[in-house]
Amino acid sequence: MTFEPTLDFARQLDAQDPLHAFRQQFHIPPGPDGQESLYFCGNSLGLQPRTARAAAEQQFLNWQERAVEGHFTGNTPWMHFHERLTEPTARIVGAKPIEVVVMNNLTTNLHLLLISFYQPRPPATKC
């Protein structure tokens, strides 16, 4: 296949993409022209999945009904969320499940990484 830098060619490739249907699973906000925006921001939560609101509402309901016991009881105890994400995360990053854990957020994890391993010695004592 020869690449063509045209909108028609891009649409043809999109139609052939086996992941094409996943696009419909996200809310795509309008751009300045009122059309669906093109979203390329990698440093964000990304586009909101259509199922996110219901999933969050379920957890709010668990919190309301169980309070602190939500950590340990119900269909999705919070204490074990990281375990449900271990296998899929390992596949994404090309690691073994024993080598990954899902925790915190990017900023916190970078801080923990630096505080654990970055130990500057003179003359390089500053970033």
Side-chain angles (χ1 to χ4, degrees), residues 3-67:
F3 176 80
E4 298 173 28
T6 65
L7 182 57
D8 286 338
F9 185 69
R11 286 183 174 146
Q12 176 188 345
L13 291 178
D14 282 347
Q16 296 171 4
D17 188 339
L19 301 177
H20 180 75
F22 282 105
R23 188 173 196 279
Q24 302 308 313
Q25 295 182 22
F26 296 89
H27 292 286
I28 303 175
D33 61 357
Q35 301 296 315
E36 286 185 343
S37 59
L38 301 176
Y39 194 86
F40 295 105
C41 185
N43 188 22
S44 76
L45 290 173
L47 294 172
Q48 185 186 77
R50 293 186 182 274
T51 58
R53 185 174 307 275
E57 287 293 336
Q58 180 59 55
Q59 294 311 313
F60 284 129
L61 185 60
N62 289 348
W63 181 18
Q64 173 185 324
E65 294 175 352
R66 300 173 188 279

Side-chain angles (χ1 to χ4, degrees), residues 2 37 49 68 70 81 116 119 122:
T2 303
S37 59
V68 71
F81 269 168
S116 297
Q119 299 176 5

